Amino acid sequence: MTDMSNSPIGKSLLRREDQRFLTGAGQYTDDISLPGQTFAYFLRSPHAHAAIKSIDLSAAKSAPGVHAIFTGADLAEAKVGGLPCGWLIHSKDGTPMNEPPHPVLAQGKARHVGDQVCLVVADSLQEAKDASELIVVDYEVLPAVIDTTKADAPGVAQIHDQAPNNVCYDWGHGDAAAVDAAFAKAHHVTKLSFANNRLIPNAMEPRAANASYSKHDESYTLYVANQNPHVERLLMSAFVLGLPESKVRVIAPDVGGGFGSKIFLYAEETALVWASKRVGRPIKWTADRSEAFLTDAHGRDHVTVAEMAMDKDGKFLAMRVNTIANMGAYLSTFASSVPTILYATLLAGQYTTPVIYCNVKAVFTNTAPVDAYRGAGRPEATYVVERLVEQAARDMQLDPAEIRRRNFIRTFPYATPVGLTYDIGDYDATLKKAIEMADVAGFPARKAASAAKGKKRGLGYSCYIEACGLAPSNIAGALGARAGLFEAGEVRVHPTGSVTVFTGSHSHGQGHETTFAQVVAGRLGIPVESVEIVHGDTGRVPFGMGTYGSRSLSVGGTAIVKAVDKVIAKGKKIAAHLLEAADTDIVFENGEFKVAGTDKKVAFAQVSLAAYVPHNYPLDKLEPGLNENAFYDPTNFTYPAGSYVCEVEVDPATGTTEICSFVAVDDFGNIVNPMVVEGQVHGGLAQGIGQALLESCVYDTESGQLLSGSYMDYAMPRAADLPSFKIGTNGTPCTHNPLGVKGCGEAGAIGSPPALINAITDALGVVDLAMPATAERVWRAANGLS
């Protein structure tokens, strides 16, 4: 057993990767320029819904610098498939979801503003843009379907022939009859209607790709800003282009943020890979910010009616939820799972609600596709639960903390009525710590002081839970997943004792090069500096499912630990021969192999050297080398949970909301690097507060034009909008992975929106307040205006 007393695990080591990022030495996809480089520009539809009658390329093809121009007809002729959806959902009647084709370039119709119509390849980006202006497209403009709640209304335009009434699926989860029975005997029912506003991800680095083809071995190489290169390769090669995976190498170098928006297979990089062989030159494309607003997969966009049934003491009896989820114009890679498997299964929250039923109708609209965005279904579920719980407390004239305590889960493992089994948690202790850190006892005095200034002060709670590290693969497969959800790791020990780790997880801001190195160094008893982390390259990493859903450490880290354990097991056998002992008598502690009960020992580096210079052990029993692989498929999710307390002061004269205090206490299990975790929570809180106060993606409901298509119209949170966060932890180690860790990357974005809206509605004494709670909306609510 490895002695962890001197381990770097649990220490706030500075992130090793920051040195290159802060000094401009990072290498992003757009930084890569290949010999013979050409550039791509996509001509996009200016209409939300239009038939493409004809495309005239004659003038554009003869423009200076142009190598080729491709349309949807070219890809159809080459039998290029459509972009696949990775999760199959069945409607309540058992029929599979309607899954219309998602062409790489539009074929016959454009279905949202920004839909790709033509690909222009030229010697320079400017020449490609100039040529695109010479392309003449004859559009027949059709009525646009924009409003989520009206997409399936009688008489609206049909977006896809394969999706009658624009419905993707009508799905249900839970026991509807039991819920109805519980509501029939309830003492009180709290009911709320609200929208979870559509968001645009806005990663710092826009999407980018650079594709090349080699005649030498008929292979393709794609550099791409992506969160899971192996999945990108699998979907693109097998399902779209019909290529052997072995002929496609996908490299995701440094990636400047993703938040889910870079998980998916997009049309642009797929088109570039296909075109690179036709052009015979590498092709680069980098989205400008306007393209990113139009074409990156958006997030959220739910319209929900939710009800909570209670007895006379405020005990929850049942919950009923009806949601309409906007899929956009096409099904993105994981879109179908977000408002179903990742949403309805989290509606129990931290509470013992006996029965729950959720109905989700997913609809197509003439807007950009909607898919996973930081939290992916979990923020939407938490908003439903925590807004309901807070309002229920007000309806029942109970303290918001007290109603939560009356309903907390306290016995583990706990099977929820929506299909999950929580392994561990201590929700009482987490809430208690948050209340203490927020000085809730002093709130009445602060409220009175605000009132003396003519301002209104409010306090809001949110007790969230999320499911991270989506698993196991067999259960996910039964629920519709079309891919495995494991992770892979390879640990390669070099003769000198230094180590290179190859992981299928991908880092795009999470700090894996530091935290994974801490884990490996801690297990092997070697310096962190002796561990190198390699990720993001299908040509070097055996396989992997990438980074999303707060899975990296719990799933990817566990795969690495399993590979390290194999290294140690083999090392014991080598050490046994070096020390002339039985391998069963060898223990490994602090980087040394020892004979138990003696002072005989050999250092890890000596064993690694012996593995590659095998003079002292029998080759008929032990192979040379010290290199091990492992795959890990979790047996369950991990379940981070937390309690957030937000305090605001509202000026009713202007509608201005000031966040006076924000306390976040999270249970992430064991923590490898507290500084990295705190940074992740800060970032998540900023994004959650951005949704609650500022951000909203808005389309014109008639034309389908994106009205919030730039930072002039889409409000991002700034430092002045945020308080100095008070962060705490209350860890209960996960019971089913060797590190005892849980996910942390999405928590802040999940718990913060309801805490903030609950605080503002508490200050104003109102029930309804739509997100984002802009100054105008708050002013109108404060002054009793509709």
Side-chain angles (χ1 to χ4, degrees), residues 412-414 421-425 636-639 733-736 742:
F412 297 90
Y414 180 84
T421 299
Y422 304 163
D423 64 323
I424 196 168
N636 194 0
F637 294 92
T638 68
Y639 296 100
C734 177
T735 62
H736 55 79
K742 306 176 184 180

Side-chain angles (χ1 to χ4, degrees), residues 21 74 132 181 184 297 316 328 354 373 377 432 464 488 542 553 555 557 586 603 703 761:
F21 295 147
D74 296 313
S132 73
F316 304 154
Y373 173 67
K432 181 176 184 291
Y464 78 91
L553 194 57
V555 185
I586 302 296
S703 68
T761 55

Side-chain angles (χ1 to χ4, degrees), residues 662-686:
F662 202 108
V663 170
V665 179
D666 297 287
D667 176 358
F668 297 136
N670 293 332
I671 292 176
V672 170
N673 187 313
M675 182 193 70
V676 168
V677 167
E678 186 169 343
Q680 288 288 310
V681 174
H682 278 219
L685 292 175

Side-chain angles (χ1 to χ4, degrees), residues 14-18 20-21 227 487 501 503-520 528 531-536 546-548 550-557 560 672-673 676 680 744-745:
L14 295 178
R15 298 194 339 162
R16 300 193 301 183
E17 48 269 68
D18 286 351
R20 72 174 185 272
F21 295 147
Q227 298 175 220
E487 196 48 83
V501 177
T503 174
S505 299
H506 185 275
S507 181
H508 42 278
Q510 293 85 356
H512 294 169
E513 293 175 36
T514 302
T515 55
F516 282 1
Q518 286 179 257
V519 169
V520 173
V528 173
V531 182
E532 176 194 17
I533 306 297
V534 175
H535 61 90
T547 293
Y548 51 87
S550 301
R551 73 191 298 269
S552 293
L553 194 57
S554 62
V555 185
I560 292 170
V672 170
N673 187 313
V676 168
Q680 288 288 310
C744 74

